[in-house]
Each structure stands twice: as C-alpha cells, then as structure tokens.
Amino acid sequence: MPPLPNPFRPTAGATPPELIGRQGMLDEFEYGLRLGSGAPGLLTIITGARGIGKTALLSEALEKARQQGWIVISETATPGFLGRIGETMRLHLEVLGPGPAGRRITALGVAGFTVTTQLPPELQVDWRRLGEQLLNVLAEKKTGLLFTVDEIHSADRTELSQLAADVQHFIRDGLPIGLIFAGLPAAVSDLLNEGVATFLRRAERIDLHAATINEVERSYEDTFRRAGIRIHKEQIRRAAEAAGGYPFLIQLIGYQLWRQAEINDLTVEAENVTQAIAAASRRHEMTV
Ligand SMILES: Nc1ncnc2c1ncn2[C@@H]1O[C@H](COP(=O)(O)OP(=O)(O)OP(=O)(O)O)[C@@H](O)[C@H]1O
Ligand SMILES: [Mg+2]
C-alpha cells in the first residue's frame, strides 16, 4: 500500500492536519453563525506571537462560515484593503442580483474602490450602502457576510476605523455580519488603546498560546495511526516534547517523522525520531 501524502504543513498560513487546541474558539464562532447577528463570536480579534497559528485559525473559521452558506471576504490589511472589500462586495451583489438591489447599486454608480487607498467621502457613503444592500439580500436568504482581516497590526489607521464604524453600524441594524481580525498582540493593543476604533475594545479577544504536550501527543498518535504508521507511545512522547507545543515546530517535526516513516516501511523507530527532530531543528533555526 503506498503511503498517504504527508499531511503536515510547516509553512506560514498553511492548514495543518489538525488544528490543535482551537476547538473552543471555533465552537463559539459556529454558535454565532447560527444566531446570525450580534453574537460575541462574530466579532473577534485573534492575537498571538509569530507562527502561533493566527492565520490557520482564521482560515478554519472562514471555512466554517462558507460551509454554512455565508459569503466570506478575506483580506490582509495592506494599503487599500477597505477598497478591495468594497469591490468584492459589489461583485457579490452583482452575482446575487439581478434583483432590485442589483439595479439600485448600478444607479449609484459604485465602482473603482480599488483605485484609492483611503476612500474619499462619496465612496465611504457608497461603501456603507453597498454593505447594507448585500447584507439585506443575505439576511433574506438566512445567511450572512463575514470579513476576515489578517495582519491588522500593519493596517492604515484611517481604513481600519472606517471599517470598524461601518461594521458597528451593520451590527446595530441587526444585519448578519461577522468580523474577525488577526494580528500581533502588542501592536493590536496599541491600536485599541489609540482609540482607532473604540467599539473594537468590546470584541472577543483571543490570545493564542502554545498547545500542551499532551494535546500534541494525542494529535500525532491519531494522525499516524489513521495512516497505518507504526510508532511506539514513548517515541510519540519524545517527538511531542521536542515540539514543545509550538505550532510551527509541531508541523516541522510531524513532517519529518512522516518522511522517516516513508523510508522505513511505515515504521518509526527511536533512531528515526532522533533524525526527524534533528532535521526539524535545523530547519527551524534557519527560519526564525
Ligand atoms: N492549532 C494548530 N495546531 C497545529 N499546527 C498549527 C496550528 N495552528 C497553526 N499551525 C501550523 O503552524 C504554522 C504557523 O501557522 P500560521 O501561519 O497560521 O501562524 P501565524 O500566527 O499566522 O504566523 P505569522 O504571525 O507569521 O503570520 C503553520 O505551519 C500551521 O500549519
Ligand atoms: Mg499569519
């Protein structure tokens, strides 16, 4: 039997075989999706150190939203992100049209959001109306709209406060909107303290930490067992301890263990674990 493809993903932003230790957040978020509007899980800021798994968690959350039929607009907070969100909203509304909403928007002449970084006042008004129209169409369909914005520590302050103001407005109107941000902790705290968007202080704040050794051990065990790879419990423990609960290292070591299994007839012995840990550590030193 040929071995399965290596499921581990030691690459920034890539989705790992299992998102260890994040079930609580995801449950809260899914609960919010079912309520549709105004639930705490729908307004969330994810913070955490480099490589701790912010982007991977964002991806998982947006996948859940898509599965529930929500429209997801996923952006990174580089200059012009607000305009790009506006442009994407317009495209969605066109596709969902050709109802009255679609026609009204053409009448507004909304276009060209992406040309500018900071939206001039007329486009700000259009942006909000566009959002309202799209959200009303989605509310009728019993679904909603989720914005995810990664790397908000580098966001332009004006764009961010504009987005926050509009989203607050949508929430107040009971529209089915979700907003998840991710960024580095210190910079996000600065943003919130500067009063860029006061209402964001009331967002659910999730500070990501390393997984526990036990969780990693259990996850490795499941992943290898399901692939028919044989490895003793003490060896799994060694590998989990070497990863130390740090998501990027969990992926690096898992990836190397899998490669050892491939060259050793789907069996991982003590010597293979030693080599996997050594290879992973070398890679890790190169990348941090
Ligand atoms: N909960 C998790 N369990 C196991 N592996 C994870 C988990 N979260 C992320 N990973 C893995 O860890 C690595 C880093 O994840 P990710 O890129 O999401 O981190 P990040 O916090 O966004 O980093 P950065 O600050 O550099 O953007 C990836 O290889 C990813 O597959
Ligand atoms: Mg990231």
Side-chain angles (χ1 to χ4, degrees):
M1 185 186 72
L4 296 167
N6 196 327
F8 291 97
R9 290 290 176 271
T11 304
T15 299
E18 185 189 347
L19 216 50
I20 303 170
R22 309 297 189 228
Q23 203 51 50
M25 183 272 172
L26 290 167
D27 286 347
E28 186 73 36
F29 177 68
E30 275 199 292
Y31 186 75
L33 287 174
R34 285 203 299 278
L35 286 183
S37 177
L42 290 178
L43 181 62
T44 298
I45 302 183
I46 300 167
T47 56
R50 283 252 167 249
I52 204 74
K54 299 179 292 298
T55 303
L57 183 55
L58 264 188
S59 306
E60 189 67 18
L62 73 83
E63 202 43 56
K64 294 231 178 290
R66 282 203 178 116
Q67 282 164 10
Q68 306 262 343
W70 281 47
I71 284 182
V72 178
I73 301 183
S74 174
E75 273 294 339
T76 300
T78 50
F81 75 92
L82 191 61
R84 293 195 298 275
I85 290 176
E87 206 54 37
T88 311
M89 287 198 299
R90 192 173 60 79
L91 293 175
H92 278 295
L93 198 54
E94 267 173 22
V95 172
L96 287 170
R103 274 201 299 281
R104 250 180 289 138
I105 214 63
T106 328
L108 272 173
V110 177
F113 279 123
T114 46
V115 187
T116 46
T117 33
Q118 291 181 15
L119 301 181
E122 333 77 79
L123 278 189
Q124 286 177 19
V125 173
D126 283 351
W127 198 103
R128 184 175 292 188
R129 277 194 219 156
L130 190 57
E132 279 167 359
Q133 290 186 14
L134 180 57
L135 283 162
N136 276 304
V137 172
L138 294 173
E140 273 169 37
K141 294 178 184 291
K142 302 268 178 276
T143 64
L145 173 65
L146 173 70
F147 297 142
T148 70
V149 186
D150 203 354
E151 313 253 336
I152 54 160
H153 45 264
S154 57
D156 175 281
R157 304 295 199 256
T158 317
E159 285 191 77
L160 191 64
S161 58
Q162 194 64 54
L163 177 67
D166 287 330
V167 166
Q168 179 172 29
H169 182 91
F170 300 152
I171 293 175
R172 205 186 54 209
D173 288 350
L175 292 167
I177 183 77
L179 174 63
I180 311 183
F181 284 135
L184 298 171
V188 168
S189 295
D190 286 352
L191 270 179
L192 298 182
N193 292 335
E194 278 168 23
V196 168
T198 325
F199 115 104
L200 287 180
R201 290 189 192 203
R202 294 189 293 274
E204 193 100 319
R205 175 94 179 252
I206 296 179
D207 199 28
L208 297 183
H209 293 288
T212 66
I213 308 284
N214 286 343
E215 285 174 316
V216 179
E217 189 178 10
R218 202 242 341 115
S219 178
Y220 276 160
E221 198 172 347
D222 284 357
T223 307
F224 290 120
R225 189 179 0 87
R226 265 190 266 122
I229 290 170
R230 290 170 297 273
I231 173 169
H232 274 299
K233 213 166 159 39
E234 317 84 80
Q235 297 309 322
I236 290 180
R237 182 77 192 175
R238 260 182 76 207
E241 277 169 357
Y246 185 63
F248 184 55
L249 257 184
I250 297 169
Q251 297 307 310
L252 266 179
I253 290 176
Y255 184 83
Q256 295 295 342
L257 286 171
W258 196 280
R259 294 195 61 178
Q260 291 290 321
E262 284 172 349
I263 58 174
N264 198 42
D265 199 19
L266 298 190
T267 303
V268 181
E269 285 159 297
E271 178 52 25
N272 300 108
V273 175
T274 305
Q275 288 201 23
I277 292 172
S281 308
R282 279 196 301 276
R283 273 301 310 276
H284 192 230
E285 275 152 28
M286 278 163 55
T287 47
V288 290

